[in-house]
Amino acid sequence: MRVLIVKNYSEVSIEAAKIVRDIVKKKPNCVLGLATGSTPLGLYKELIRMHKEKGLDFSQVRTFNLDEYYGLSSSHPQSYRFFMEENLFKGINIKPENTRVPDGSVKIEEVEQYCKEYEELIKQAGGIDLQVLGIGGDGHIAFNEPGSSLGSRTRLVALDEKTIEDNSRFFDRVEDVPRFALSMGVGTILEAREILFLATGEKKAEIVAKALEGPITSMITASALQLHPRVTAILDEEASDALRRVAFYRFAADSEKHVGIKLF
Ligand code: PGA
């Protein structure tokens, strides 16, 4: 795994945006896997800037989002579809029909079939070229809460108490936070060709260290990223604070500048 440690949130966002930009330039019709939450907001702002000021072209790019609250329609201000429209899609020239976010309003009896179709759509698009990920306070990637199978696929999941509490900051009352979600599985995520893992802030330091340097366990689903051959983790100094091998990561990152290739 490449672990890049930079100063702060703003630098994480800029470095992450460069990785997305490089893929979009190299493969204009690439498939991006996208995440919501506070972490990727700066990345999305930077991509919008690159589009507006540098002409970065998203006209052929296709996207799949990781997850969506179950029970919220796409027009709900806390839905992840709404988040993506507000924070990225309306600022770039992506075609609406090329953007996919799971539909949290599908009927319960249709959920299983819907999730199968979501996986099928990813396959038909040729698979995800680059998946953007954050990490939850409980170590989740997407909504793969502790105990999710590391082979899991897109499905309906129950949310952990910790996630409900963390996400209640966006809702008026904690009781308003949905209890369920549709989420890509860990197995789905691991099939992406490349992964961009972002974490910032001191609150993430302990869980980041467990995920990147601890044992692989379904109790911290982000630890499954250790199985993937092409992960770049970009962390700010605060989020990297509990890692044991910071000196090594810095050495490897420095060395990349000399050898001119990425050292995964
Ligand atoms: P955050 O959420 O970016 O708002 O910290 C991350 C997550 O829950 O995956």
Side-chain angles (χ1 to χ4, degrees), residues 130-148:
L130 178 71
Q131 176 66 60
V132 177
L133 291 177
I135 180 171
D138 63 0
H140 68 211
I141 45 175
F143 274 132
N144 295 289
E145 303 288 35
S148 295

Side-chain angles (χ1 to χ4, degrees), residues 66-101:
L66 288 168
D67 45 20
E68 177 63 281
Y69 287 120
Y70 186 64
L72 297 193
S73 73
S74 55
S75 59
H76 191 288
Q78 295 312 331
S79 75
Y80 286 169
R81 163 57 76 177
F82 195 90
F83 175 102
M84 291 309 302
E85 295 294 337
E86 284 299 302
N87 294 301
L88 181 63
F89 298 152
K90 76 178 192 192
I92 58 176
N93 65 332
I94 196 158
K95 294 197 178 98
E97 65 270 27
N98 285 349
T99 68
R100 305 257 180 200
V101 181

Side-chain angles (χ1 to χ4, degrees), residues 36-40 134-137 140-143 163 167 169-170 204:
T36 53
S38 309
T39 310
I135 180 171
H140 68 211
I141 45 175
F143 274 132
T163 299
N167 291 7
R169 67 190 195 276
F170 300 112
K204 297 285 173 70

Side-chain angles (χ1 to χ4, degrees), residues 31-85:
V31 179
L32 300 177
L34 299 178
T36 53
S38 309
T39 310
L41 273 176
L43 158 65
Y44 297 154
K45 276 209 179 83
E46 182 61 14
L47 290 177
I48 291 170
R49 191 195 65 78
M50 286 173 168
H51 167 67
K52 294 204 153 83
E53 292 176 16
K54 309 266 178 201
L56 186 62
D57 180 20
F58 291 87
S59 62
Q60 296 178 65
V61 170
R62 291 148 308 152
T63 65
F64 287 89
N65 264 74
L66 288 168
D67 45 20
E68 177 63 281
Y69 287 120
Y70 186 64
L72 297 193
S73 73
S74 55
S75 59
H76 191 288
Q78 295 312 331
S79 75
Y80 286 169
R81 163 57 76 177
F82 195 90
F83 175 102
M84 291 309 302
E85 295 294 337

Side-chain angles (χ1 to χ4, degrees), residues 163-190:
T163 299
I164 290 169
E165 188 190 307
D166 285 351
N167 291 7
S168 65
R169 67 190 195 276
F170 300 112
F171 292 82
D172 292 337
R173 302 172 313 155
V174 67
E175 299 82 56
D176 295 338
V177 185
R179 265 32 197 174
F180 300 90
L182 300 181
S183 177
M184 277 190 209
V186 180
T188 322
I189 291 168
L190 291 179

Side-chain angles (χ1 to χ4, degrees), residues 64-70 100-124 144 152-158 180-185 188 191:
F64 287 89
N65 264 74
L66 288 168
D67 45 20
E68 177 63 281
Y69 287 120
Y70 186 64
R100 305 257 180 200
V101 181
D103 178 359
S105 67
V106 286
K107 292 199 198 96
I108 193 71
E109 58 273 23
E110 287 164 16
V111 158
E112 211 178 317
Q113 183 59 26
Y114 179 82
C115 290
K116 267 195 197 130
E117 284 166 16
Y118 199 72
E119 294 261 341
E120 197 49 45
L121 286 169
I122 296 173
K123 272 203 195 98
Q124 282 167 15
N144 295 289
S152 51
R153 313 298 309 188
T154 303
R155 69 211 183 287
L156 181 69
V157 295
F180 300 90
L182 300 181
S183 177
M184 277 190 209
T188 322
E191 280 171 11

Side-chain angles (χ1 to χ4, degrees), residues 2-3 9 22 28 32 37 52 69 72 105 107 132 138 149 152 157 160 174 180 198 206 208 241 259 261 263:
R2 299 172 76 211
V3 181
Y9 181 83
D22 289 349
L32 300 177
K52 294 204 153 83
Y69 287 120
L72 297 193
S105 67
K107 292 199 198 96
V132 177
D138 63 0
S149 161
S152 51
V157 295
D160 194 89
V174 67
F180 300 90
L198 309 177
E206 287 298 327
V208 163
D241 207 36
V259 294
I261 53 167
L263 300 172

